[in-house]
Protein backbone atom coordinates (compact mmCIF):
# COMPACT_ATOMS: atom_id res chain seq x y z
CA UNK A 1 0.00 0.00 0.00
CA UNK A 2 2.81 2.38 0.93
CA UNK A 3 4.66 1.66 -2.35
CA UNK A 4 1.44 2.34 -4.29
CA UNK A 5 0.99 5.70 -2.54
CA UNK A 6 4.64 6.61 -3.19
CA UNK A 7 4.31 5.73 -6.89
CA UNK A 8 1.13 7.79 -7.16
CA UNK A 9 2.82 10.74 -5.46
CA UNK A 10 5.80 10.52 -7.85
CA UNK A 11 3.50 10.46 -10.88
CA UNK A 12 1.58 13.48 -9.62
CA UNK A 13 4.76 15.39 -8.83
CA UNK A 14 6.16 14.55 -12.26
CA UNK A 15 3.00 15.89 -13.91
CA UNK A 16 3.12 19.08 -11.87
CA UNK A 17 6.80 19.59 -12.71
CA UNK A 18 6.13 19.27 -16.44
CA UNK A 19 3.29 21.77 -16.25
CA UNK A 20 5.39 24.15 -14.15
CA UNK A 21 8.02 24.24 -16.90
CA UNK A 22 5.52 25.31 -19.55
CA UNK A 23 5.93 29.04 -20.13
CA UNK A 24 4.00 31.49 -22.23
CA UNK A 25 5.89 33.45 -24.85
CA UNK A 26 4.04 36.59 -23.77
CA UNK A 27 6.79 38.13 -21.67
CA UNK A 28 6.79 41.93 -21.25
CA UNK A 29 3.16 41.91 -22.31
CA UNK A 30 0.30 44.34 -21.72
CA UNK A 31 -3.09 42.62 -21.61
CA UNK A 32 -6.23 44.57 -22.54
CA UNK A 33 -9.47 42.60 -22.46
CA UNK A 34 -13.08 43.63 -22.99
CA UNK A 35 -15.79 41.02 -22.55
CA UNK A 36 -19.54 41.33 -22.36
CA UNK A 37 -22.36 38.86 -21.84
CA UNK A 38 -25.04 41.49 -21.11
CA UNK A 39 -25.96 44.95 -22.36
CA UNK A 40 -27.94 47.94 -21.16
CA UNK A 41 -30.17 47.64 -24.19
CA UNK A 42 -32.17 44.47 -23.51
CA UNK A 43 -32.91 44.08 -27.22
CA UNK A 44 -29.27 43.01 -27.62
CA UNK A 45 -29.17 39.24 -26.96
CA UNK A 46 -27.38 38.35 -23.74
CA UNK A 47 -25.16 35.29 -23.22
CA UNK A 48 -24.99 32.78 -20.39
CA UNK A 49 -22.88 34.05 -17.48
CA UNK A 50 -21.78 30.59 -16.38
CA UNK A 51 -18.57 29.14 -17.80
CA UNK A 52 -16.97 32.39 -18.91
CA UNK A 53 -13.58 31.72 -20.49
CA UNK A 54 -12.49 35.38 -20.44
CA UNK A 55 -11.97 35.22 -16.69
CA UNK A 56 -9.83 32.10 -17.11
CA UNK A 57 -7.65 33.87 -19.68
CA UNK A 58 -7.10 36.75 -17.24
CA UNK A 59 -6.22 34.29 -14.47
CA UNK A 60 -3.75 32.59 -16.80
CA UNK A 61 -1.83 35.80 -17.44
CA UNK A 62 -1.83 36.71 -13.74
CA UNK A 63 -0.47 33.29 -12.78
CA UNK A 64 2.22 33.59 -15.45
CA UNK A 65 3.76 36.70 -14.00
CA UNK A 66 2.12 39.57 -15.90
CA UNK A 67 2.08 42.47 -13.37
CA UNK A 68 -1.34 43.71 -12.29
CA UNK A 69 -0.62 47.20 -13.66
CA UNK A 70 -0.14 45.66 -17.11
CA UNK A 71 -3.58 44.02 -17.17
CA UNK A 72 -6.86 45.84 -17.76
CA UNK A 73 -10.05 43.80 -17.86
CA UNK A 74 -13.34 45.56 -18.55
CA UNK A 75 -16.48 43.45 -18.46
CA UNK A 76 -20.19 44.06 -18.88
CA UNK A 77 -21.21 47.35 -17.18
CA UNK A 78 -17.57 48.43 -16.90
CA UNK A 79 -17.29 48.40 -20.68
CA UNK A 80 -19.29 51.50 -21.53
CA UNK A 81 -18.22 53.36 -24.64
CA UNK A 82 -16.39 56.32 -23.09
CA UNK A 83 -14.56 54.14 -20.57
CA UNK A 84 -13.42 51.61 -23.16
CA UNK A 85 -12.11 54.27 -25.55
CA UNK A 86 -10.38 56.40 -22.91
CA UNK A 87 -8.92 53.51 -20.91
CA UNK A 88 -7.61 51.81 -24.03
CA UNK A 89 -5.60 54.83 -25.16
CA UNK A 90 -4.28 55.53 -21.65
CA UNK A 91 -3.32 51.87 -21.30
CA UNK A 92 -1.46 51.80 -24.62
CA UNK A 93 0.56 54.90 -23.73
CA UNK A 94 2.11 53.20 -20.69
CA UNK A 95 3.99 50.51 -22.65
CA UNK A 96 7.64 50.70 -23.69
CA UNK A 97 9.42 50.07 -26.96
CA UNK A 98 10.10 46.34 -26.51
CA UNK A 99 6.76 45.47 -24.94
CA UNK A 100 4.01 43.31 -26.47
CA UNK A 101 0.25 43.80 -26.53
CA UNK A 102 -2.42 41.13 -26.13
CA UNK A 103 -5.85 42.44 -27.08
CA UNK A 104 -9.03 40.41 -26.58
CA UNK A 105 -12.70 41.13 -27.15
CA UNK A 106 -15.74 38.91 -26.72
CA UNK A 107 -19.36 39.95 -27.06
CA UNK A 108 -21.25 41.05 -30.16
CA UNK A 109 -19.70 42.08 -33.45
CA UNK A 110 -21.49 43.53 -36.46
CA UNK A 111 -21.16 45.81 -39.48
CA UNK A 112 -22.45 49.35 -39.03
CA UNK A 113 -24.17 51.57 -41.60
CA UNK A 114 -20.75 52.48 -43.02
CA UNK A 115 -19.98 48.78 -43.56
CA UNK A 116 -17.26 48.84 -40.88
CA UNK A 117 -16.79 45.93 -38.48
CA UNK A 118 -17.59 47.07 -34.95
CA UNK A 119 -17.68 45.59 -31.47
CA UNK A 120 -20.53 46.68 -29.28
CA UNK A 121 -19.92 48.22 -25.86
CA UNK A 122 -22.29 48.03 -22.89
CA UNK A 123 -24.20 51.07 -24.14
CA UNK A 124 -24.46 49.51 -27.58
CA UNK A 125 -22.29 52.08 -29.38
CA UNK A 126 -19.89 51.37 -32.24
CA UNK A 127 -16.27 50.55 -31.35
CA UNK A 128 -14.74 49.77 -34.71
CA UNK A 129 -11.95 47.34 -35.53
CA UNK A 130 -10.43 50.14 -37.58
CA UNK A 131 -10.30 52.43 -34.53
CA UNK A 132 -8.85 49.70 -32.31
CA UNK A 133 -5.93 48.81 -34.58
CA UNK A 134 -5.30 52.43 -35.54
CA UNK A 135 -5.03 53.41 -31.87
CA UNK A 136 -2.51 50.64 -31.27
CA UNK A 137 -0.45 51.87 -34.20
CA UNK A 138 -0.59 55.44 -32.88
CA UNK A 139 -0.20 55.05 -29.12
CA UNK A 140 1.54 51.70 -28.48
CA UNK A 141 5.34 52.00 -28.37
CA UNK A 142 5.95 48.30 -28.95
CA UNK A 143 6.01 46.72 -32.38
CA UNK A 144 4.33 43.40 -31.59
CA UNK A 145 0.57 43.14 -30.98
CA UNK A 146 -1.87 40.24 -30.88
CA UNK A 147 -5.51 40.98 -31.73
CA UNK A 148 -7.99 38.29 -30.71
CA UNK A 149 -11.77 38.48 -30.88
CA UNK A 150 -14.60 36.04 -30.24
CA UNK A 151 -17.74 37.44 -31.85
CA UNK A 152 -19.61 37.87 -35.13
CA UNK A 153 -17.61 39.55 -37.92
CA UNK A 154 -14.47 39.35 -35.74
CA UNK A 155 -12.27 38.74 -38.78
CA UNK A 156 -12.49 42.47 -39.43
CA UNK A 157 -9.63 42.82 -36.95
CA UNK A 158 -7.41 40.75 -39.25
CA UNK A 159 -8.22 42.97 -42.21
CA UNK A 160 -7.26 46.03 -40.18
CA UNK A 161 -4.05 44.46 -38.82
CA UNK A 162 -3.04 43.62 -42.37
CA UNK A 163 -3.00 47.34 -43.22
CA UNK A 164 0.20 47.80 -41.19
CA UNK A 165 2.79 45.55 -42.89
CA UNK A 166 5.71 47.22 -41.13
CA UNK A 167 4.33 46.24 -37.73
CA UNK A 168 4.30 42.74 -36.24
CA UNK A 169 0.54 42.49 -35.85
CA UNK A 170 -1.00 39.04 -35.44
CA UNK A 171 -4.76 38.64 -35.48
CA UNK A 172 -6.66 35.47 -34.53
CA UNK A 173 -10.43 35.69 -34.89
CA UNK A 174 -13.37 33.34 -34.53
CA UNK A 175 -14.98 33.95 -37.93
CA UNK A 176 -14.53 35.62 -41.32
CA UNK A 177 -15.37 39.36 -41.48
CA UNK A 178 -18.72 38.82 -43.22
CA UNK A 179 -20.22 36.05 -41.07
CA UNK A 180 -21.89 35.46 -37.74
CA UNK A 181 -20.14 33.56 -34.97
CA UNK A 182 -21.27 31.03 -32.40
CA UNK A 183 -22.56 32.14 -29.02
CA UNK A 184 -20.38 29.49 -27.38
CA UNK A 185 -16.87 29.97 -25.97
CA UNK A 186 -15.23 27.60 -28.48
CA UNK A 187 -12.75 30.11 -29.89
CA UNK A 188 -11.78 31.51 -26.48
CA UNK A 189 -11.33 28.03 -25.09
CA UNK A 190 -9.08 27.05 -28.01
CA UNK A 191 -7.06 30.24 -27.48
CA UNK A 192 -6.65 29.42 -23.79
CA UNK A 193 -5.51 25.88 -24.60
CA UNK A 194 -2.74 27.35 -26.74
CA UNK A 195 -1.63 29.73 -24.01
CA UNK A 196 -1.65 26.91 -21.46
CA UNK A 197 0.54 24.77 -23.70
CA UNK A 198 -1.73 21.80 -24.37
CA UNK A 199 0.51 19.44 -26.28
CA UNK A 200 -2.17 18.32 -28.74
CA UNK A 201 -1.69 21.77 -30.37
CA UNK A 202 2.03 21.13 -30.84
CA UNK A 203 1.53 19.52 -34.24
CA UNK A 204 5.23 19.03 -35.04
CA UNK A 205 5.92 17.82 -31.48
CA UNK A 206 8.99 20.03 -31.00
CA UNK A 207 8.05 21.19 -27.50
CA UNK A 208 6.79 24.61 -28.61
CA UNK A 209 3.44 25.94 -29.83
CA UNK A 210 3.90 28.49 -32.59
CA UNK A 211 1.34 31.12 -33.52
CA UNK A 212 0.79 29.22 -36.79
CA UNK A 213 0.04 26.01 -34.90
CA UNK A 214 -2.39 27.85 -32.65
CA UNK A 215 -4.13 29.37 -35.69
CA UNK A 216 -4.38 25.92 -37.27
CA UNK A 217 -5.90 24.45 -34.11
CA UNK A 218 -8.42 27.29 -33.79
CA UNK A 219 -9.33 26.94 -37.47
CA UNK A 220 -9.98 23.21 -37.13
CA UNK A 221 -11.81 23.58 -33.85
CA UNK A 222 -14.18 26.23 -35.18
CA UNK A 223 -14.86 24.20 -38.33
CA UNK A 224 -15.49 20.88 -36.58
CA UNK A 225 -17.27 22.06 -33.43
CA UNK A 226 -19.17 25.07 -34.75
CA UNK A 227 -19.23 24.61 -38.54
CA UNK A 228 -17.74 28.04 -39.21
CA UNK A 229 -14.55 29.43 -40.72
CA UNK A 230 -12.05 31.14 -38.42
CA UNK A 231 -9.98 34.01 -39.80
CA UNK A 232 -6.46 35.19 -39.04
CA UNK A 233 -3.56 37.32 -40.17
CA UNK A 234 0.02 36.30 -39.39
CA UNK A 235 2.98 38.21 -40.90
CA UNK A 236 5.51 35.98 -42.60
CA UNK A 237 8.20 36.73 -40.00
CA UNK A 238 5.79 35.82 -37.17
CA UNK A 239 4.64 32.40 -38.38
CA UNK A 240 7.09 30.55 -36.14
CA UNK A 241 6.81 32.92 -33.17
CA UNK A 242 6.46 30.80 -30.03
CA UNK A 243 3.23 31.26 -28.09
CA UNK A 244 4.12 28.67 -25.46
CA UNK A 245 7.42 26.89 -24.89
CA UNK A 246 8.58 23.83 -22.95
CA UNK A 247 5.39 21.96 -23.88
CA UNK A 248 5.48 18.28 -22.78
CA UNK A 249 6.35 16.17 -25.83
CA UNK A 250 3.62 13.81 -27.04
CA UNK A 251 4.43 10.15 -26.59
CA UNK A 252 2.01 9.29 -29.37
CA UNK A 253 1.94 11.44 -32.50
CA UNK A 254 -1.73 10.64 -33.00
CA UNK A 255 -2.55 12.88 -30.04
CA UNK A 256 -4.33 15.93 -31.44
CA UNK A 257 -5.00 14.40 -34.84
CA UNK A 258 -8.53 14.64 -36.25
Amino acid sequence: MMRYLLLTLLLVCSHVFLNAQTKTGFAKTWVFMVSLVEWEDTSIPAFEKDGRIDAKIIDFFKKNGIPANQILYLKDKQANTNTVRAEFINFLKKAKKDDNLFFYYSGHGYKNDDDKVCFTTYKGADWSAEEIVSNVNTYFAGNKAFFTADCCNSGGLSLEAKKYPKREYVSLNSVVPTNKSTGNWTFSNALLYGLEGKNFIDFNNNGNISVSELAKYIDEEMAIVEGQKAFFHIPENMKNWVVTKNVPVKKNLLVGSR
Side-chain angles (χ1 to χ4, degrees):
M1 183 65 176
M2 181 60 70
R3 281 185 296 177
Y4 173 79
L5 290 174
L6 179 59
L7 177 60
T8 301
L9 181 60
L10 287 172
L11 288 172
V12 171
C13 288
S14 174
H15 177 71
V16 171
F17 176 77
L18 283 173
N19 285 342
Q21 299 305 301
T22 302
K23 295 182 180 180
T24 178
F26 289 93
K28 300 175 68 175
T29 295
W30 295 72
V31 178
F32 187 88
M33 294 180 57
V34 176
S35 181
L36 302 97
V37 297
E38 62 181 6
W39 287 263
E40 183 179 62
D41 183 351
T42 55
S43 68
I44 299 176
F47 298 121
E48 290 291 335
K49 294 183 178 181
D50 294 336
R52 296 182 70 151
I53 301 298
D54 53 334
K56 293 182 179 181
I57 294 174
I58 283 291
D59 287 342
F60 168 83
F61 281 117
K62 289 179 179 178
K63 291 175 181 178
N64 278 268
I66 305 297
N69 68 320
Q70 291 179 205
I71 298 176
L72 185 54
Y73 173 45
L74 302 173
K75 69 175 184 177
D76 303 328
K77 292 181 180 180
Q78 298 173 327
N80 67 68
T81 309
N82 292 336
T83 299
V84 166
R85 285 194 166 120
E87 292 290 350
F88 189 42
I89 292 175
N90 289 336
F91 186 78
L92 293 174
K93 289 180 177 179
K94 296 176 182 178
K96 297 179 181 179
K97 184 178 179 180
D98 295 326
D99 290 343
N100 304 320
L101 173 70
F102 180 89
F103 172 92
Y104 170 95
Y105 173 87
S106 63
H108 281 301
Y110 57 96
K111 283 195 172 185
N112 66 8
D113 293 338
D114 296 322
D115 203 37
K116 292 183 178 181
V117 170
C118 297
F119 304 142
T120 187
T121 58
Y122 182 71
K123 298 287 186 178
D126 293 355
W127 188 36
S128 72
E130 179 183 48
E131 175 186 347
I132 291 167
V133 180
S134 175
N135 279 339
V136 173
N137 183 62
T138 301
Y139 299 107
F140 186 68
N143 196 51
K144 195 180 274 86
F146 296 79
F147 299 94
T148 65
D150 192 355
C151 63
C152 296
N153 304 102
S154 57
L157 265 180
S158 290
L159 295 182
E160 294 302 323
K162 196 174 181 180
K163 293 179 180 179
Y164 301 88
K166 294 183 179 180
R167 307 298 293 270
E168 294 179 325
Y169 289 172
V170 170
S171 186
L172 305 176
N173 311 129
S174 64
V175 74
V176 298
T178 54
N179 282 9
K180 293 184 178 180
S181 186
T182 174
N184 300 322
W185 291 95
T186 307
F187 169 87
S188 295
N189 197 57
L191 177 65
L192 179 59
Y193 280 165
L195 294 172
E196 290 176 333
K198 303 296 185 184
N199 66 358
F200 49 78
I201 303 176
D202 181 13
F203 292 102
N204 62 9
N205 205 30
N206 70 347
N208 297 322
I209 294 175
S210 69
V211 68
S212 294
E213 287 177 312
L214 178 54
K216 177 184 177 182
Y217 175 72
I218 290 173
D219 192 48
E220 292 181 354
E221 194 76 351
M222 297 309 296
I224 294 170
V225 178
E226 302 293 348
Q228 68 186 57
K229 186 73 177 78
F231 201 71
F232 50 87
H233 167 67
I234 306 173
E236 192 63 35
N237 66 333
M238 291 286 289
K239 291 186 182 297
N240 295 319
W241 191 87
V242 176
V243 173
T244 314
K245 54 189 175 181
N246 298 344
V247 176
V249 175
K250 293 180 288 189
K251 295 182 179 179
N252 189 328
L253 294 179
L254 291 176
V255 172
S257 62
R258 303 288 185 177

